[in-house]
Amino acid sequence: MAGFVFDFDEPSGGGRELLGGKGVGLAEMTLLGLPVPAGFTITTDACRAYLQGGDVPEGLEAEVEEHVRRLEERTGRRFGDHDDPLLVSVRSGAAISMPGMMDTILNLGLNDEAAEGLAAGTENARFAYDSYRRLIQMFGEVVDGIDPHRFEDALTELKQQRGARHDTDLGADDLRELVAAYKRIYPQFPQDAREQLMRSVRAVFDSWNTPRAQVYRHANDIPDDLGTAVNVVQMVFGNKGERSGTGVAFTRDPSTGEQGVYGEFLANAQGEDVVAGIRTPQPLETMHATLPEAYAQLLETMRKLEEHYRDMQDIEFTVEDDVLYMLQTRAAKRTAAAALKAAVDMVDEGLITRDEAVTRIDPAQLDQLLHPTIDPNARLEVAGKGLNASPGAASGGIVFDADTAVERAKDGPVILVRWETTPDDIHGMIAAQGILTVHGGMTSHAAVVARGMGKPCVAGCEDLSLGDGLARIGSHELHEGDVITIDGGTGRVFVGEVPLVAPQLNEDFETVLGWADDVRRLGVRSNADTPEDAARAREFGAQGIGLCRTEHMFFGAERLPVVQEMILADTEEGRRAALEKLLPFQQGDFEGIFEAMAGLPVTIRLLDPPLHEFLPAEDQATDEKMRARIRALHEQNPMLGMRGCRLGLVYPEIYEMQVRAIARAARSVGASAVVEIMHPLVGFAEELRRLRALTERVWAEEAPDAPHHVGTMVELPRACMQAGEIAEHADFFSFGTNDLTQMTLGLSRDDAEGKFLTRYLNDGVLERNPFEVLDQAGVGGLMRIAVEGGRAAKPELKLGICGEHGGEPSSVAFCHRLGLDYVSCSPFRVPLARLAAAQAALEEAGTVQYVAAGG
Ligand code: PEP
Ligand code: MG
């Protein structure tokens, strides 16, 4: 039988998927000879079998028992012994880290007698009873669902009675009394060590499916069927006294990427005290003075880990009586700025290559660098200050709990304000624009989770207090809904809205994207409808405009009445008269865009939407004629109706005017205008044949010598199937995957989201929203047919994509594999697309795809 359990130094034949991230880290650190407590890992296979079968798989219990025996031999202690007991922790650890989402139980193996034995053996009764009360609380909460507040209240009450400020002010007798109180709260606490262990293992397996874990997985695109591994680790104690403690550290600063260790340490404490953000930890460097040997060993260990993994690590450690133990190592979650800086530095240090640096950055995370920040010139009054836990600035109405955050976020931006966050707040954090907490350090739940999400967070803001439905900060009293601004880059909090500025791109960003440009094959263009968008796209590195939607130019205050006049006209003459007035506007728009993109191609798409979109709703119409026209234009399925090139064929004067405006603009701008005219929603070759003729005729009248290209959107399934015939009339194809998705899946792009599509996603019928992430099998299959058909008919045919998918990393990679010439996306996503395109090229070339840790 394949084993379900492996000692840390035992070959398992599996990696992260089998052992989980924590298990694999412990095994590797053990093999590297680093100080790791002994222990074993129960695999994700066992968890999956448990979740499927509803019970632990056959043989698991015996295997665990066998490994417990081995652990006893190694440590010279017995599990369940009363005099000198072996104690273990049970720690969850999935393949993809889900910080704080699943459960951990410490100090297993203690009971009434063993606590006495431990007190006598260590001559430290305080420590023994502190450990025991923690076990009862954690076990009660995790295994039997006892309300944690009941334990907390008992602790607070005792502290009040004793006049103790901190937990550490309580003595051995106090804690013995606390244990008695805890047992009154939780009388069914099992005394048998083996029962404790197996019930804990089951509880950790079960914690895979808690609502908060499910929400986290959905938000982070983690599959639901991975399951978690369980690590059973010999306990080492950070709560033995002042020569002990526990901490977390990063091998570089996770916010900035600066070199130099960075972390926090809490003396005389166990791990959960740090993560819970209950006591505020000290900077790591304080260990230098208090525990110099352990500190030196820690620095050396971190150096070795970076060298081994060739990446920035995030570690957990415990010091027991001045001896260091490593409990975890993993690729550090980091901000995009830190990821870029660390990658550039590591190339300089000779640790990684440029190509590896490119694969180290999560494209989706680049967004963060493009976050707004506070206008440095704004006159500000800082209301309070906390830790700069996650960069970016955000304004919004305050809300005090996660459910309200979700509710109110529907009406506008909110900032979630909490004493501290817990994993149960995850849905509120997702809904909020930013997070502000009173307690907690840089490694508190709020800080870690916000950084992962790329949301601004100010943590540990002690100037703030909460209560009675109010937030008090400085002299201000704020109610739910009052607006504040937080600056996660500096930790400042402001009352009211503060001017923000567009993000600044730094040198590391340019460096890494420069390396990306060196290796990518796909071109990257931008969708832009205005000269301003075009200029921004260019700044972000766009190599052209892949889609300029001309209808957006029809909506300006001076233009809409003219557009309506055109639509309402009864005759062609009437329409032409109105179009005549629109022409100079259009020409001016195109000149601006050609100038902004000087020398780079600009794809202009002729009018696409159904005409009713330019008219008001019937009950808002100004006169009967308009009402009649609105009724006449009404269609049951306008997206399948009179739109796209159908407009151009039925009302050729519209497209004629647009082509004329483009040609005149090209002529006036001169040779730097590189023009591509695109016809939308073509399904039949004959449509494009006629429209090309129209285009060429008008072009010859206006700018006979100016070069130009004519092509089509490919956004109907029929166009994909008949791509060869259509290509005969096209210089280029641009996949409009928004419509192509809608048409292929029979799924309305306007109505499905928020209705059954959301239900499908929640229920797991669909894993990803196909309007966001390209449906590679279905829509992608049609694209492949079109690419093959089009290129067979015309090898020089240029191919691109301009649907939303052109800015989504996995879809960009698909376009690379399909052999498209370029992707086109919104200006802010251009850097992301450049990086994703480079990663796709490196993956194809055999450079292993690294799962960037940032995301
Ligand atoms: C598309 O359909 O993918 C597209 C780019 O055009 P639009 O979104 O304007 O319909
Ligand atoms: Mg379209």
Side-chain angles (χ1 to χ4, degrees), residues 365-376 391-393 500-506 509-510 536 539-540 827-829 831:
Q365 212 194 359
L366 283 186
D367 232 22
Q368 276 181 34
L369 286 183
L370 312 172
H371 276 324
T373 46
I374 303 264
D375 182 347
L500 304 182
V501 287
Q504 310 286 315
L505 303 183
N506 69 18
F509 180 89
E510 300 293 348
R536 178 173 302 127
E539 249 171 64
F540 286 148
F828 278 102
R829 293 170 100 188

Side-chain angles (χ1 to χ4, degrees), residues 605 608 643 713 715 739 749:
R605 180 182 72 188
D608 181 31
R643 59 171 286 223
M713 307 266 309
E715 46 188 348
D739 272 307
R749 58 191 273 194

Side-chain angles (χ1 to χ4, degrees), residues 273-493:
D273 297 337
V274 180
V275 179
I278 294 165
R279 274 167 62 194
T280 301
Q282 300 297 308
L284 192 66
E285 295 74 48
T286 55
M287 261 182 86
H288 183 47
T290 52
L291 297 164
E293 274 166 41
Y295 185 64
Q297 203 190 354
L298 178 67
L299 294 192
E300 176 57 15
T301 302
M302 289 210 268
R303 195 190 56 74
K304 282 189 188 151
L305 283 172
E306 254 212 4
E307 209 173 272
H308 174 74
Y309 285 104
R310 302 190 309 127
D311 193 11
M312 181 171 159
Q313 297 293 297
D314 160 3
I315 63 159
E316 283 178 22
F317 66 93
T318 282
V319 177
E320 177 179 332
D321 288 335
D322 228 347
V323 179
L324 173 75
Y325 293 94
M326 301 297 295
L327 299 183
Q328 172 160 317
T329 189
R330 60 184 171 193
K333 288 218 184 271
R334 64 204 84 173
T335 62
L340 289 166
K341 170 133 186 62
V344 171
D345 284 352
M346 284 184 192
V347 170
D348 288 345
E349 292 159 28
L351 214 54
I352 59 175
T353 64
R354 287 179 176 195
D355 287 355
E356 280 174 304
V358 167
T359 61
R360 289 285 170 91
I361 315 295
D362 177 359
Q365 212 194 359
L366 283 186
D367 232 22
Q368 276 181 34
L369 286 183
L370 312 172
H371 276 324
T373 46
I374 303 264
D375 182 347
N377 300 315
R379 291 181 50 185
L380 302 170
E381 198 198 317
V382 179
K385 196 152 183 326
L387 300 170
N388 54 330
S390 180
S395 298
I398 59 173
V399 286
F400 300 116
D401 66 82
D403 292 340
T404 312
V406 171
E407 219 17 71
R408 278 198 169 239
K410 291 178 190 149
D411 303 324
V414 298
I415 306 285
L416 180 62
V417 182
R418 304 278 290 156
W419 281 103
E420 69 228 359
T421 63
T422 71
D424 287 328
D425 293 323
I426 188 81
H427 56 299
M429 298 177 75
I430 292 170
Q433 300 296 305
I435 295 127
L436 171 63
T437 67
V438 181
H439 288 316
M442 294 292 279
T443 47
S444 64
H445 178 265
V448 171
V449 173
R451 274 204 295 275
M453 290 179 177
K455 288 205 170 163
C457 174
V458 173
C461 179
E462 313 256 337
D463 300 328
L464 176 71
S465 71
L466 304 176
D468 308 327
L470 282 178
R472 291 185 187 78
I473 184 160
S475 54
H476 304 274
E477 280 201 346
L478 305 173
H479 296 84
E480 184 180 292
D482 290 2
V483 173
I484 63 166
T485 300
I486 61 169
D487 179 4
T490 61
R492 293 173 303 171
V493 181

Side-chain angles (χ1 to χ4, degrees), residues 110-122:
L110 279 176
N111 56 26
D112 295 349
E113 276 108 0
E116 277 303 326
L118 186 66
T122 58

Side-chain angles (χ1 to χ4, degrees), residues 514-525:
W515 293 338
D517 292 343
D518 290 343
V519 295
R520 70 184 159 89
R521 188 179 69 214
L522 267 179
V524 177
R525 296 193 189 184

